[in-house]
Amino acid sequence: MSFRLSGRLPKRDDGLWSRRLLAATVAAVVTVLMAAALARVPRFEPDVCVFWLFVGLTVLLRRWRPRQDARLVWRERVAGVDGAEPGLVARRSLAGWVDLVVKLAWAAVVTLVATMLLPADPQWARLVRLALLVGLAAAGGLVVYSGVRFTGRLALTASGIRHGRRRYDWSNIDRVSPHREDGRLAGVRLRLRVRRSLEPAPVVGGRDVAVPEQRLAAAIEAYRERPQALAVGPVTAPEPAAGADPTELGRAPSST
């Protein structure tokens, strides 16, 4: 497999239980507050014009891409999928946060419209409405839990590259190349040595990460053959060569 998800039981000694407890506490508070707020939303008639304005705003926000100029930052304890370890971290970009809010807004709109289409009097309709609102609040809590649980949107550690909840082993990465979407750079594609025949090559970074593709590719190339260097001590992510062609990401410098 090219990546692993965190579905299995965590290790007892992975050093992340305090982080999980904090994330669960914050997520529970957010879930309760969201459920209480949603329960007070009055019934309304869906407005078609407002709906299409919302659709248009969503499309515009998806095409908006603010400048990415952040750097990978060293952290002594990176909370990842399998444990806490040293590594380089890239924070979520402003566009990434906006996308997250838009997704939650869409979930809220769809859920509220569904509840308004239910009849008001039958007991079953009230139960269904309650279940939908609780489910929406729980989804918001899960998003908050994931945001607090992991350090940064993307991390490079000795055990692998973590992007969100996905992790890619260094030993399976052959090289990197630019990934384009609508004619623009949109992350770094990982060329894997072993993957499923129909599985697309994974992409890390991109619009939801504040670190630009050139810097991310340079760091991956620098530590791809020697990831153990990330666990030794504070390291500085390498910078791409001045004037480097962004289409040649796979040839980023390999020295620190």
Side-chain angles (χ1 to χ4, degrees):
M1 294 291 291
S2 60
F3 64 86
R4 294 182 291 170
L5 298 180
S6 58
R8 62 182 181 277
L9 291 176
K11 302 175 183 178
R12 293 184 178 181
D13 59 347
D14 64 0
L16 293 179
W17 287 106
S18 59
R19 186 88 179 203
R20 291 190 184 95
L21 180 60
L22 172 63
T25 302
V26 175
V29 171
V30 171
T31 300
V32 171
L33 292 177
M34 283 187 63
L38 290 170
R40 294 178 176 272
V41 175
R43 295 183 66 86
F44 64 93
E45 292 295 330
D47 190 294
V48 176
C49 292
V50 173
F51 172 78
W52 284 111
L53 284 174
F54 190 40
V55 171
L57 179 62
T58 301
V59 173
L60 290 176
L61 288 175
R62 284 296 303 170
R63 296 187 63 84
W64 168 67
R65 182 164 178 169
R67 183 177 179 182
Q68 296 168 286
D69 56 4
R71 288 177 168 81
L72 288 156
V73 180
W74 168 262
R75 291 286 183 267
E76 187 176 354
R77 283 176 57 84
V78 176
V81 173
D82 294 327
E85 55 185 328
L88 293 167
V89 177
R91 61 180 173 82
R92 190 191 296 268
S93 67
L94 176 60
W97 286 113
V98 170
D99 287 347
L100 199 59
V101 172
V102 169
K103 288 178 181 177
L104 287 175
W106 265 109
V109 168
V110 172
T111 302
L112 290 174
V113 169
T115 61
M116 299 310 157
L117 296 178
L118 294 170
D121 296 330
Q123 180 66 21
W124 68 265
R126 287 195 290 269
L127 292 176
V128 171
R129 182 175 186 272
L130 177 62
L132 289 173
L133 295 180
V134 170
L136 176 60
L142 286 175
V143 170
V144 172
Y145 176 84
S146 181
V148 178
R149 162 69 172 78
F150 296 103
T151 305
R153 179 62 177 162
L154 183 146
L156 309 182
T157 67
S159 63
I161 301 175
R162 177 187 59 78
H163 187 189
R165 299 182 67 90
R166 293 185 174 88
R167 203 194 80 182
Y168 307 92
D169 294 330
W170 289 107
S171 60
N172 198 30
I173 300 175
D174 183 35
R175 66 185 181 90
V176 300
S177 61
H179 174 69
R180 290 185 175 276
E181 188 176 278
D182 296 331
R184 296 188 298 181
L185 285 176
V188 178
R189 181 185 289 108
L190 305 180
R191 303 286 186 173
L192 303 180
R193 293 186 173 95
V194 180
R195 64 183 177 92
R196 296 174 182 174
S197 58
L198 298 179
E199 184 182 53
V203 176
V204 297
R207 187 173 178 273
D208 64 340
V209 174
V211 175
E213 286 79 4
Q214 292 89 339
R215 284 177 180 166
L216 180 57
I220 294 175
E221 280 294 320
Y223 296 106
R224 182 169 59 85
E225 298 296 339
R226 52 187 187 91
Q228 65 278 2
L230 292 166
V232 174
V235 298
T236 302
E239 289 290 322
D245 187 348
T247 64
E248 299 293 333
L249 295 182
R251 300 181 183 177
S254 58
S255 59
T256 54

